[in-house]
Amino acid sequence: GDATGHARAFAGCGGQAVVQHHFLAVGKAARELLKARARANTANTVVISQHYPGHCMKEVFEGALPPARKGQVKVLCVYGHTHDQKCDGNDPETGVCTMIMTGGGGGCCGPEVNLGGFSAIHLEDDGGFVSDVDSEHVRFPFGQCKWAGMPAP
């Protein structure tokens, strides 16, 4: 959409300052929850899923792990928002994608979504995982995903 949507939301919620205060409080609560989950963690692989790119907070989670668990837990970040489908970062040891932009099938920003699809994560018995972000098994062909009611190109 256009910029009028958030202006109406601000007006309906008591103004931009009220909304910003709320989002800051939610962000602080998210950081505290991640720290608590890290301290209680017993899993070999953790998935942190959130809406916005660049806000995974992987470092917050890893920094709160008990000393004996540091370096032992694999963290996978999954996020969306931009209606794209790609790998934003790989594990330097395994080459597996650990920073996944997914949700290209959501439809936004034009008559065609170029990279529609989803991601598949396979957890392995040894605590590792394999991610599929861009194969033909998880990605739609170019131009296949369109807004409903839009004329064909």
Side-chain angles (χ1 to χ4, degrees), residues 5-134:
H6 76 275
R8 287 194 304 267
F10 290 155
C13 294
Q16 184 173 350
V18 172
V19 173
Q20 286 176 323
H21 177 75
H22 173 74
F23 280 131
L24 289 173
V26 169
K28 181 179 179 183
R31 283 187 295 283
E32 294 306 315
L33 178 61
L34 275 176
K35 290 176 188 176
R37 295 302 300 256
R39 288 189 293 268
N41 173 273
T42 59
N44 293 326
T45 302
V46 172
V47 178
I48 300 175
S49 177
Q50 82 99 7
H51 184 80
Y52 294 102
H55 297 279
C56 175
M57 295 194 275
K58 176 182 177 178
E59 296 79 15
V60 171
F61 182 87
E62 291 176 331
L65 285 167
R69 301 280 297 145
K70 290 188 188 281
Q72 304 299 312
V73 180
K74 294 175 179 67
V75 179
L76 169 68
C77 294
V78 182
Y79 42 88
H81 183 70
T82 65
H83 303 270
D84 200 356
Q85 184 78 14
K86 63 182 179 176
C87 177
D88 283 336
N90 301 78
D91 181 293
E93 294 175 19
T94 65
V96 172
C97 184
T98 58
M99 301 294 284
I100 299 175
M101 165 71 70
T102 193
C108 174
C109 315
E112 293 182 351
V113 177
N114 294 341
L115 298 175
F118 60 94
S119 297
I121 309 301
H122 173 77
L123 300 177
E124 298 178 327
D125 291 337
D126 68 357
F129 60 89
V130 176
S131 56
D132 185 358
V133 180
D134 55 11

